[in-house]
Amino acid sequence: MNKGILVTAAGTGINLMLGVLYSWSVIKKALVAQGWSNTQAAVPYTVACAVFAIIMVFAGRLQDQIGPRKVATVGGILIGSGMILGGLIPSLTGLIISFGILAGTGIGLGYAAATPAAVKWFGPEKKGLITGIVVSGFGLASVYISPLTTWFLNHFGLERTFIYLGMIFLVITVILAQLLTDPPAGYRATGVINETLKINVDFTWQEMLKTSRFYLLWLMFAFSASAGLMVIGHITTIAKEQANWEKGFWLVALLAIFNASGRILAGMTSDRIGRVNTMLLVFLVGGVNMLLFGTYHTIGSMAIGTAIAGLAYGALLSLFPSATADYYGTKNLGVNYGLVFTAWGIGGVFGPLLAGKVVDLTGTYLLAYKISAALLGGAVLLALLLKIPRYVLAKA
């Protein structure tokens, strides 16, 4: 098997394990049933998102220096032990430490190692596709994690659910991490040449921070991620309140399928029509869907809205790392994308907490939908200021 394909497969598998973050909607419902408020139940998830994003910066730099295998291995150990500890200390403080901090750190380490390792084996004309494939594992994870978590909750209770999931994620992630490797020194894939710059585009993180494009990318990512993360973290509650449907965990699986599909589809599309054109399309579709989300009161309409939200959100996770590689090269992609990814952490804090607070105060999510739509509108305006560098195909 081609080494690049093996690394891509391993990275995708690792992300399938790290995607436990998106099962929080099911766990949150169980916590609320035990008497937690919506805001309280959103806190461990929110902390995990923030820690995930912050750790990405340091993990990205670390994997650039010591390689992806070691970083992903430590990540697997932390996410597994964090989940197990969550089962032993299922209080708000306990889950903030175990799921929010430990598991969040593990997710950040694993995620930072998977994508750069795979992208480095392929030419730039495949950046979007390869990125989309690897990160699709993270989005697709809820297809199995949500039903599995629900089954564990029904048969073993909350505490043992955390423990069993932690054991599974620890073992599989550590095994797959051993397959992650960077290309050997001097490796050069057939690809494309940047004729606009005609210079080495491997920016350091310090050089990247001096460019205006970084701040445009960061703001666009923060604005657009908040809407998707809000729905992902609350979809089972939304289904119960708007459609009176108790089996909203199936929407988590549906969301995951379209989340993963959006990553691959956006990656392929952006390789053909450009990152910025694809971003504009995604922001517009996502914004309209947020404006309409409050009108979804049937299972069918809720399913359609969830699918669109999944597609739009999933697209972000392939578009932004690909755009970062376009602008700043792949040599330091780990730390460079880690800095861009901190915007996702802001979205992870803002979206879920906003939704929880709004529903606690007003009894509905309507205001949260409108705010999210406005943020996506802002992302559209920012995207119009962003110009993706043009490339021409050329064999190395």
Side-chain angles (χ1 to χ4, degrees):
M1 178 184 292
N2 178 278
K3 188 66 173 180
I5 295 176
L6 181 63
V7 173
T8 300
T12 305
I14 287 173
N15 278 331
L16 278 168
M17 298 296 103
L18 305 183
V20 64
L21 187 66
Y22 294 146
S23 71
W24 188 257
S25 181
V26 176
I27 295 173
K28 173 182 172 292
K29 184 179 178 182
L31 292 172
V32 171
Q34 292 184 359
W36 292 39
S37 70
N38 281 284
T39 302
Q40 287 177 324
V43 171
Y45 171 81
T46 300
V47 172
C49 290
V51 171
F52 174 14
I54 293 169
I55 290 299
M56 277 281 291
V57 179
F58 305 99
R61 188 175 187 182
L62 189 62
Q63 79 89 31
D64 287 337
Q65 294 174 337
I66 68 173
R69 180 188 295 118
K70 294 178 181 178
V71 174
T73 298
V74 175
I77 293 172
L78 286 178
I79 188 174
S81 59
M83 292 292 291
I84 292 171
L85 182 62
L88 300 175
I89 315 175
S91 63
L92 177 57
T93 301
L95 288 180
I96 288 174
I97 295 172
S98 60
F99 186 86
I101 297 176
L102 289 181
T105 299
I107 293 169
L109 290 171
Y111 195 82
T115 302
V119 169
K120 291 175 182 178
W121 286 94
F122 298 90
E125 80 284 358
K126 293 183 179 179
K127 282 193 187 84
L129 174 61
I130 297 302
T131 300
I133 291 173
V134 175
V135 299
S136 70
F138 201 99
L140 195 61
S142 287
V143 171
Y144 79 90
I145 289 178
S146 180
L148 179 63
T149 302
T150 300
W151 189 84
F152 278 156
L153 286 170
N154 291 337
H155 288 79
F156 304 111
L158 184 63
E159 292 82 0
R160 291 171 70 183
T161 294
F162 272 105
I163 293 172
Y164 293 157
L165 290 177
M167 293 170 63
I168 293 170
F169 298 144
L170 191 156
V171 172
I172 297 179
T173 302
V174 169
I175 291 175
L176 290 175
Q178 309 316 304
L179 301 177
L180 292 184
T181 58
D182 283 332
Y187 177 84
R188 192 178 181 186
T190 299
V192 296
I193 298 173
N194 187 328
E195 288 201 338
T196 301
L197 299 176
K198 293 185 178 179
I199 58 173
N200 188 338
V201 295
D202 286 319
F203 284 58
T204 64
W205 67 269
Q206 295 95 332
E207 292 170 335
M208 180 184 70
L209 292 181
K210 295 178 181 178
T211 67
S212 61
R213 285 171 175 165
F214 166 78
Y215 299 98
L216 288 173
L217 284 172
W218 194 95
L219 287 171
M220 289 160 55
F221 204 178
F223 288 176
S224 56
S226 64
L229 287 166
M230 182 194 70
V231 174
I232 288 169
H234 290 263
I235 191 61
T236 55
T237 306
I238 291 172
K240 181 179 179 180
E241 296 192 2
Q242 287 187 201
N244 195 29
W245 193 32
E246 294 288 346
K247 297 183 178 180
F249 63 86
W250 288 111
L251 290 180
V252 178
L254 180 68
L255 184 69
I257 293 171
F258 282 89
N259 184 344
S261 301
R263 299 175 190 222
I264 298 175
L265 181 61
M268 295 175 61
T269 302
S270 67
D271 282 337
R272 293 180 176 273
I273 69 172
R275 315 295 180 211
V276 70
N277 290 331
T278 309
M279 286 177 180
L280 284 167
L281 179 62
V282 167
F283 298 156
L284 287 169
V285 171
V288 171
N289 189 49
M290 281 294 101
L291 285 175
L292 295 175
F293 221 91
T295 68
Y296 303 151
H297 296 295
T298 66
I299 295 175
S301 62
M302 186 65 67
I304 293 173
T306 299
I308 295 173
L311 279 172
Y313 172 74
L316 307 177
L317 279 301
S318 65
L319 289 173
F320 283 94
S322 299
T324 304
D326 284 346
Y327 287 130
Y328 306 112
T330 59
K331 181 179 179 180
N332 303 304
L333 182 58
V335 64
N336 288 345
Y337 180 57
L339 286 167
V340 173
F341 194 76
T342 58
W344 182 92
I346 297 299
V349 170
F350 182 76
L353 277 184
L354 169 67
K357 197 66 177 179
V358 165
V359 76
D360 283 341
L361 292 175
T362 69
T364 73
Y365 288 91
L366 294 179
L367 180 58
Y369 298 149
K370 293 177 181 178
I371 294 174
S372 294
L375 288 173
L376 286 165
V380 169
L381 296 177
L382 292 171
L384 294 174
L385 300 176
L386 191 67
K387 293 183 179 180
I388 298 297
R390 292 178 297 174
Y391 293 96
V392 293
L393 290 174
K395 291 187 176 182

